[in-house]
Amino acid sequence: MEDSISQSQAQKKLQRAKRRSFNPQQQDWVKTSFLNTDSSLPLVVSPAMDGVNLTSWASQQRSWIESSLYQYGGLLFRGFRIDSTDDFVQFIQATSQGELLEYIYRSTPRTQLQDKVYTSTEYPADQFISMHNENAYSTSWPMKIWFCCLQPALQGGETLVADSRKVFQRIDPAVRQKFAEKKVMYIRNYGDIDLSWQEVFQTNDRSDVEAYCRQAGIEFEWNGEKLRTSQVCQAIASHPKTGDQVWFNVAHIFHISNFAEDIQKSLLSVFQPEDMPRHACYGDRQPMEVSTLNEIRAAYQAETIAIKWQKGDILMLDNMLVAHGRKPFTGARQVVVGMAEPYS
């Protein structure tokens, strides 16, 4: 009888211990650190003990996660057992307001893996992806973006991040003023060597494209089956929660000077600037100075931090506060992406 009582008491103690260990409301369940001693981007959040369920914990700590995201710009959740896109989606839902966003008005090729979860940009592995804020070539964008590494590359493939507030501060005030006043015009010609309009707008119906453009304030013109669009967008933006001024455009990517010299010469031998697959100029259609664009690229480079992926990592970024890019890589690499919280 004594052995039976003892065993019963032990089981109850064990159950109580398990309940305590999985209490998601205890913030001391996680610990924080930084990847680099000279930078606070990103804040690394990792389990302080075995068995922490990241989604359960996050669902009870949304206020802390939100305030930390505004402070640091990006959070890297590392060491938790994230093994699938289902785990990833559950975490996004626990840390966002509203549903995941569909990737429409695309600028890069991607594959949808499940409802509103996509592969990261499917550029060739040997290509560098320049620093950018998602959908900064538009007047509406996701406030939050999440990346999850299901398989790190054999070599390289680091995701690059840069604080858009610090990039803004590095750019000459005269340049900032000019961009703020003139803004940026993005001109796109679809289908020659870039994405087709069918892929960009995710439809085969021209009337759907026209309706989207009218609603978004995008000018459009058809030449047979070919489509050209143009839109004047912000160059600088104020974060709606923090009030921070951020550099928020991708003129340095859309402009031809982003290509290597041999590619520039090849494109210019075929296209006029406004006939390029992509082109950026000031909002009054005046050309941008290459020296200015190079200064902007240098500002990004000075603030860039490389995040070497580990399997199961989730990187959560405030899309206005932090820009991102990618290093070339070798071997298989699987990083999936979700976006939420649209803002105009």
Side-chain angles (χ1 to χ4, degrees), residues 139 212-219 230-232:
T139 55
Y212 182 94
C213 289
R214 291 190 185 99
Q215 183 178 9
I218 301 172
E219 296 185 5
S230 61
Q231 185 179 30
V232 176

Side-chain angles (χ1 to χ4, degrees), residues 13 35 40 53-54 63 81 107 148 161 220 225 255 298 343:
K13 287 182 179 179
L35 286 180
S40 60
N53 183 293
L54 177 60
S63 178
R81 295 178 180 176
S107 65
C148 180
V161 294
F220 63 90
E225 282 299 310
H255 195 271
Y343 178 77

Side-chain angles (χ1 to χ4, degrees), residues 131-200:
M131 303 299 291
H132 63 284
N133 304 83
E134 202 68 32
N135 282 54
Y137 54 84
S138 176
T139 55
S140 62
W141 53 83
M143 286 298 295
K144 292 189 178 74
I145 184 168
W146 294 257
F147 303 84
C148 180
C149 179
L150 299 178
Q151 182 177 353
L154 182 64
Q155 187 174 13
E158 294 91 341
T159 286
L160 307 174
V161 294
D163 191 317
S164 301
R165 296 166 289 194
K166 294 181 178 179
V167 172
F168 174 84
Q169 291 297 329
R170 281 187 175 271
I171 295 171
D172 187 291
V175 171
R176 298 199 307 246
Q177 183 66 26
K178 186 173 184 178
F179 269 75
E181 291 174 354
K182 289 179 170 287
K183 302 185 178 181
V184 179
M185 176 179 285
Y186 300 101
I187 300 171
R188 301 181 67 177
N189 294 280
Y190 304 89
D192 284 325
I193 56 176
D194 203 349
L195 303 180
S196 67
W197 60 263
Q198 292 91 338
E199 184 173 359
V200 169

Side-chain angles (χ1 to χ4, degrees), residues 39-261:
S39 175
S40 60
L41 176 67
L43 178 69
V44 181
V45 182
S46 55
M49 57 189 76
D50 292 336
V52 179
N53 183 293
L54 177 60
T55 298
S56 296
W57 175 84
S59 66
Q60 299 295 325
Q61 298 293 338
R62 288 181 61 168
S63 178
W64 180 85
I65 290 172
E66 194 90 350
S67 62
S68 298
L69 192 65
Y70 294 152
Q71 180 178 356
Y72 299 103
L75 306 178
L76 176 63
F77 297 89
R78 170 166 286 177
F80 301 93
R81 295 178 180 176
I82 304 298
D83 299 318
S84 67
T85 53
D86 287 334
D87 294 338
F88 180 47
V89 169
Q90 289 173 16
F91 178 76
I92 293 176
Q93 292 170 339
T95 54
S96 66
Q97 300 175 14
E99 298 296 320
L100 278 75
L101 298 179
E102 184 178 1
Y103 185 42
I104 196 169
Y105 193 39
R106 301 184 177 194
S107 65
T108 59
R110 298 190 188 187
T111 300
Q112 182 167 292
L113 300 175
Q114 64 183 63
D115 187 32
K116 299 173 185 174
V117 173
Y118 302 87
T119 59
S120 55
T121 298
E122 295 175 342
Y123 280 168
D126 62 349
Q127 290 187 10
F128 177 88
I129 297 178
S130 299
M131 303 299 291
H132 63 284
N133 304 83
E134 202 68 32
N135 282 54
Y137 54 84
S138 176
T139 55
S140 62
W141 53 83
M143 286 298 295
K144 292 189 178 74
I145 184 168
W146 294 257
F147 303 84
C148 180
C149 179
L150 299 178
Q151 182 177 353
L154 182 64
Q155 187 174 13
E158 294 91 341
T159 286
L160 307 174
V161 294
D163 191 317
S164 301
R165 296 166 289 194
K166 294 181 178 179
V167 172
F168 174 84
Q169 291 297 329
R170 281 187 175 271
I171 295 171
D172 187 291
V175 171
R176 298 199 307 246
Q177 183 66 26
K178 186 173 184 178
F179 269 75
E181 291 174 354
K182 289 179 170 287
K183 302 185 178 181
V184 179
M185 176 179 285
Y186 300 101
I187 300 171
R188 301 181 67 177
N189 294 280
Y190 304 89
D192 284 325
I193 56 176
D194 203 349
L195 303 180
S196 67
W197 60 263
Q198 292 91 338
E199 184 173 359
V200 169
F201 293 95
Q202 292 292 286
T203 181
N204 292 315
D205 191 330
R206 288 168 54 143
S207 63
D208 289 342
V209 174
E210 293 173 4
Y212 182 94
C213 289
R214 291 190 185 99
Q215 183 178 9
I218 301 172
E219 296 185 5
F220 63 90
E221 59 180 301
W222 297 96
N223 182 9
E225 282 299 310
K226 292 189 175 182
L227 172 67
R228 172 185 290 178
T229 63
S230 61
Q231 185 179 30
V232 176
C233 299
Q234 69 294 316
I236 295 167
S238 296
H239 193 282
K241 297 293 185 181
T242 69
D244 290 315
Q245 293 281 289
V246 296
W247 191 254
F248 200 77
N249 66 80
V250 289
H252 63 292
I253 296 178
F254 271 61
H255 195 271
I256 189 173
S257 60
N258 196 47
F259 292 107
E261 287 190 14

